[in-house]
Amino acid sequence: MPNMSLVKNPMPSQEAQVRNRNFSEVALGYTEEMAIDEAKRCLNCKHKPCVSGCPVRVHIPEFIKAVSEGRFEEAYQIIARSSSLPAVCGRVCPQETQCEGKCVRGIKGEPVGIGRLERFVADWHMAHATDKPEKPAANGHKVAVIGSGPSGLTCAGDLAKLGYDVTVYEALHLAGGVLVYGIPEFRLPKAIVQKEIDTLIDLGVKVETNVVVGRTITIDELMQEYGFEAVFIGSGAGLPKFMNIPGENLKGVYSANEFLTRINLMKAYTPDSSTPIQPAKKVAVVGGGNVAMDAARCAKRLGAEVTVVYRRTEAELPARREEVEHAMEEGIVFKFLTNPVSIAGNDQGWVSAIRCQEMALGEPDASGRRRPVAVEGSDFDMEMDCVIMALGTSPNPLIKTTTKGLETQKWGGIIVEEDTGLTSREGVYAGGDAVTGAATVILAMGAGKTAASAIDTYLKEKAR
């Protein structure tokens, strides 16, 4: 019998004043009963509008129908036909603007909890499945993938399923890219990421860590000396942006990239960490995106009073609504229509205060959002001992400066053909943040999927 409730089954979660003192996962996941009940809200629409909102085209109504009938492993296999990282997507994808944004049930109520169901199915599979995926027969062709983030892992997984000999090269000591260094444990447990990577390894994907392509080895060497017939660049966007205001070189000023890497990858919050974060009592996080929310919530868990400083209003915050609500519930303060102009330091060179000015919204800018304009004479100081700049990132220039004939945008993004991911170099493809700049996990996965298909076509045609 269908469930015609206008609201989703709520997601069980840690209480706000408990979770803001630990790094355990906030959302606890659906039970089997909750998942079946939520799945019965799906109308199994004839035209499947939700699928059009998914960058990797998961067969959403099919897997939800399987869940509604208690066929959880079958539901997983349906998702796995399209997605290499279902447990990740179920946790961090912005479903509200993608698949769920297209859901018919959302017209007169809340959409079906597609992301929550995907997470449930992936977690159920990890807890119950005992058989490893069958390794496809080798087709005799080699492909290199640079970067083990969402675009690289997706490209590698899709190619491995087609029988390609795939090697992923990762600059850091642990595979996963932004999934392990950028997204906090309380949103995406690292054990979940490792299980997804292990599944790809079972398919035959090889992962080489501590390899900085452009320094340790170049793309030309991969193709000319190591025998790779195609290369996919999924190196992400790890170069942080700053405001270039006085005081940014003081001790206690971090890019969100560094701060989150030290927290997530290097476990700086543990007592025995070899790379600890300087304890701070008052932290300002500058920015309003998902990365700003992640940094603010991490700082809160380290025991600080945290203020998010954002130059527009709450309505313009680019972060997912769920992440903003979680941050507010956890006691993080938001200062809207506020912009830093300088950072002051003490005699030891540490941050002591941040000077800001009030802003007002003027005419729309190129993005369509109203441009913030400073209010004259509105400067004020806030006492702080740490400032985290969460203003976005751009691609590291290392690969473009060490690869002949690779065309890039002025800001560093690699130029590719939209439908294939092909760069200006034959046999070299790219996707994800290395092309677009910082974006979402699922868009990066979609780019990796597109490139894998194009590489398969290219190498088959070349072999004729």
Side-chain angles (χ1 to χ4, degrees):
M1 186 174 179
N3 175 5
M4 299 309 295
S5 171
L6 295 179
V7 297
K8 299 176 185 177
N9 280 267
M11 172 64 84
S13 302
Q14 289 193 69
E15 292 294 329
Q17 298 312 309
V18 173
R19 70 183 190 235
N20 69 4
R21 297 193 296 273
N22 68 64
F23 279 83
S24 299
E25 190 168 15
V26 169
L28 303 178
Y30 278 170
T31 63
E32 292 185 6
E33 293 75 18
M34 293 171 70
I36 291 172
D37 190 55
E38 183 61 27
K40 288 181 178 179
R41 294 185 63 232
C42 178
L43 300 178
N44 200 18
C45 304
K46 179 180 178 181
H47 298 295
K48 303 175 175 55
C50 53
V51 177
S52 69
C54 176
V56 297
R57 295 297 189 266
V58 168
H59 300 278
I60 294 169
E62 291 180 42
F63 99 74
I64 291 180
K65 188 175 190 302
V67 173
S68 73
E69 297 172 355
R71 295 180 285 114
F72 305 137
E73 179 59 24
E74 185 177 337
Y76 174 82
Q77 296 302 331
I78 292 169
I79 297 172
R81 295 204 304 259
S82 303
S83 174
S84 298
L85 306 171
V88 171
C89 291
R91 286 169 164 83
V92 303
C93 283
Q95 291 96 2
E96 64 276 9
T97 60
Q98 296 180 155
C99 55
E100 293 183 16
K102 302 280 188 179
C103 179
V104 172
R105 291 300 306 270
I107 296 173
K108 293 184 178 180
E110 292 184 344
V112 175
I114 298 170
R116 296 175 183 181
L117 290 174
E118 182 177 23
R119 169 191 162 143
F120 166 80
V121 167
D123 288 357
W124 193 95
H125 169 80
M126 287 182 177
H128 294 87
T130 56
D131 295 336
K132 291 184 177 182
E134 186 176 343
K135 188 175 178 179
N139 65 16
H141 297 284
K142 292 177 63 176
V143 178
V145 173
I146 301 171
S148 65
S151 65
L153 293 177
T154 299
C155 185
D158 280 15
L159 289 171
K161 290 173 185 176
L162 295 171
Y164 287 92
D165 179 352
V166 183
T167 301
V168 177
Y169 293 98
E170 168 56 46
L172 298 176
H173 64 279
L174 190 66
V178 70
L179 303 176
V180 294
Y181 76 73
I183 302 177
E185 181 79 11
F186 55 80
R187 280 217 295 137
L188 180 62
K190 301 306 164 263
I192 294 290
V193 179
Q194 189 57 53
K195 285 183 178 180
E196 299 276 46
I197 293 170
D198 289 343
T199 298
L200 298 182
I201 292 173
D202 289 338
L203 285 171
V205 174
K206 295 185 283 292
V207 179
E208 299 283 347
T209 56
N210 298 309
V211 179
V212 182
V213 175
R215 282 288 182 267
T216 312
I217 195 170
T218 66
I219 288 177
D220 290 326
E221 288 171 337
L222 287 172
M223 301 185 80
Q224 295 168 11
E225 298 177 25
Y226 286 73
F228 290 103
E229 299 164 82
V231 173
F232 174 76
I233 304 171
S235 51
L239 188 64
K241 297 178 182 178
F242 288 89
M243 295 185 70
N244 297 317
I245 59 176
E248 277 188 317
N249 290 326
L250 287 166
K251 290 182 285 188
V253 178
Y254 297 92
S255 69
N257 199 42
E258 177 193 354
F259 183 79
L260 289 171
T261 297
R262 291 174 69 172
I263 293 290
N264 300 326
L265 188 64
M266 304 168 82
K267 300 293 186 285
Y269 55 85
T270 59
D272 58 347
S273 173
S274 59
T275 58
I277 291 286
Q278 177 71 20
K281 294 181 179 179
K282 294 186 177 182
V283 175
V285 178
V286 183
N290 290 326
V291 173
M293 298 307 110
D294 287 344
R297 296 173 70 194
C298 283
K300 183 70 176 179
R301 283 159 171 76
L302 294 178
E305 296 177 17
V306 183
T307 302
V308 171
V309 179
Y310 182 59
R311 63 183 186 156
R312 290 185 168 93
T313 71
E314 182 176 352
E316 284 83 31
L317 278 171
R320 292 182 69 186
R321 189 66 220 171
E322 179 180 72
E323 301 307 320
V324 175
E325 290 172 353
H326 280 170
M328 290 179 171
E329 291 168 0
E330 291 168 8
I332 292 166
V333 176
F334 285 73
K335 291 284 289 185
F336 296 110
L337 291 172
T338 302
N339 198 47
V341 293
S342 64
I343 304 169
N346 60 24
D347 293 340
Q348 287 75 46
W350 287 92
V351 171
S352 61
I354 182 171
R355 172 157 291 188
C356 299
Q357 59 186 185
E358 295 177 5
M359 309 295 285
L361 294 183
E363 295 300 316
D365 61 14
S367 68
R369 294 185 298 172
R370 292 174 64 191
R371 185 187 303 276
V373 179
V375 176
E376 190 174 345
S378 64
D379 290 17
F380 64 96
D381 293 334
M382 291 191 293
E383 182 182 339
M384 295 289 167
D385 50 10
C386 176
V387 178
I388 301 169
M389 295 293 183
L391 305 170
T393 54
S394 58
N396 190 301
L398 180 59
I399 287 180
K400 76 172 184 179
T401 56
T402 58
T403 307
K404 295 178 181 178
L406 189 66
E407 295 182 1
T408 62
Q409 307 279 1
K410 289 183 178 180
W411 52 269
I414 300 170
I415 297 173
V416 300
E417 291 181 357
E418 184 176 352
D419 296 335
T420 64
L422 177 64
T423 71
S424 53
R425 283 281 304 269
E426 182 183 352
V428 179
Y429 297 75
D433 292 2
V435 171
T436 62
T440 63
V441 167
I442 191 65
L443 288 176
M445 289 177 62
K449 198 170 190 66
T450 295
S453 177
I455 289 170
D456 180 49
T457 300
Y458 164 70
L459 291 180
K460 284 179 177 176
E461 291 178 350
K462 190 177 178 182
R464 287 176 184 169

